[in-house]
Amino acid sequence: GAVVSQHPSWVICKSGTSVKIECRSLDFQATTMFWYRQFPKQSLMLMATSNEGSKATYEQGVEKDKFLINHASLTLSTLTVTSAHPEDSSFYICSASPSREYVDTQYFGPGTRLTVL
Amino acid sequence: GQNIDQPTEMTATEGAIVQINCTYQTSGFNGLSWYQQHAGEAPTFLSYNVLDGLEEKGRFSSFLSRSKGYSYLLLKELQMKDSASYLCAVRDLADKLIFGTGTRLQVFP
């Protein structure tokens, strides 16, 4: 149980285009979903926290207009990287928590590797 | 501020025991988790400690001392497949996970 999927697993795009990444909880309802970014040989950096039906909360330094997050249902959150640039190339990982009270139990998706040319 | 420190790299031999340390200084504390991450993959949950002491789970154990801001992950009977990065993460008062830089463990035969 507690499986989280991400789609696509990897994407290559041209500079200036937008890319949408989906995160789904397959066998549980995710009240809270988190989006992380990980650069090579670095740790995960939290970008934003989203709760179903409300606006995402972004971490300091993360541009909300560039990284659009939508958590429209209890099983799906999407991250759209708008007008992507090479510096946005990274490993994007989502995680889902079944409850606001138990966010220590975060189940991670397999990640999406984004390469912007 | 938030500061979580781990050694960058460690090496060990198959069958041995290795201890990966983590020290933290955070503005709030609601528990500490350890995750394993193989290259190019997402982290997988290993353990969670919120009270002082040792939690054992098979070959892996995790220890926490809140007064010292210190935790360690103990891996016994090391196997080649244990070669991975091990991430220490503190849950803060806002229920967010703050990750350390990770420790890359290489297990040699």
Side-chain angles (χ1 to χ4, degrees):
Chain A
V3 178
V4 176
S5 71
Q6 273 184 249
H7 178 80
S9 53
W10 59 270
V11 57
I12 301 173
C13 69
K14 291 183 181 177
S15 187
T17 59
S18 294
V19 174
K20 181 189 278 190
I21 302 170
E22 292 185 350
C23 176
R24 291 181 188 272
S25 56
L26 298 185
D27 50 4
F28 67 99
Q29 293 187 324
T31 308
T32 308
M33 286 185 169
F34 303 86
W35 286 96
Y36 295 86
R37 182 166 51 181
Q38 186 176 35
F39 292 106
K41 296 191 178 180
Q42 293 186 26
S43 194
L44 281 75
M45 296 297 294
L46 180 66
M47 298 175 68
T49 303
S50 74
N51 292 302
E52 184 266 338
S54 58
K55 287 185 180 178
T57 304
Y58 290 80
E59 293 301 299
Q60 199 169 14
V62 178
E63 300 172 57
K64 60 178 74 175
D65 294 331
K66 182 171 181 63
F67 298 99
L68 302 177
I69 291 171
N70 185 290
H71 191 163
S73 78
L74 283 171
T75 59
L76 174 65
S77 175
T78 59
L79 167 69
T80 302
V81 183
T82 61
S83 187
H85 290 286
E87 58 266 29
D88 298 322
S89 298
S90 187
F91 193 46
Y92 291 87
I93 306 175
C94 74
S95 72
S97 176
S99 162
R100 283 192 180 90
E101 292 162 353
Y102 294 98
V103 292
D104 53 280
T105 311
Q106 288 188 30
Y107 301 98
F108 284 84
T112 297
R113 188 160 302 284
L114 170 64
T115 302
V116 185
L117 302 176
Chain B
Q2 321 278 38
N3 198 32
I4 301 174
D5 285 320
Q6 301 177 236
T8 307
E9 288 191 6
M10 296 183 73
T11 58
T13 308
E14 204 174 8
I17 299 173
V18 72
Q19 177 174 310
I20 302 174
N21 296 325
C22 172
T23 57
Y24 63 90
Q25 287 176 307
T26 56
S27 52
F29 181 85
N30 249 346
L32 186 146
S33 298
W34 283 94
Y35 287 82
Q36 180 191 61
Q37 186 180 25
H38 285 98
E41 298 179 13
T44 54
F45 174 79
L46 292 177
S47 67
Y48 172 68
N49 295 64
V50 66
L51 300 175
D52 285 356
L54 186 69
E55 298 263 351
E56 297 187 69
K57 242 191 219 182
R59 293 191 301 115
F60 293 1
S61 304
S62 57
F63 171 83
L64 175 68
S65 168
R66 294 181 67 150
S67 61
K68 295 181 180 175
Y70 167 69
S71 173
Y72 68 72
L73 179 70
L74 194 71
L75 293 78
K76 301 177 191 172
E77 299 167 23
L78 279 174
Q79 301 174 10
M80 297 296 290
K81 66 178 182 180
D82 297 328
S83 293
S85 286
Y86 290 86
L87 310 177
C88 166
V90 170
R91 176 185 172 193
D92 69 8
L93 295 178
D95 292 336
K96 289 184 262 189
L97 281 180
I98 306 161
F99 282 86
T101 50
T103 299
R104 210 157 36 247
L105 172 67
Q106 272 192 294
V107 180
F108 292 101

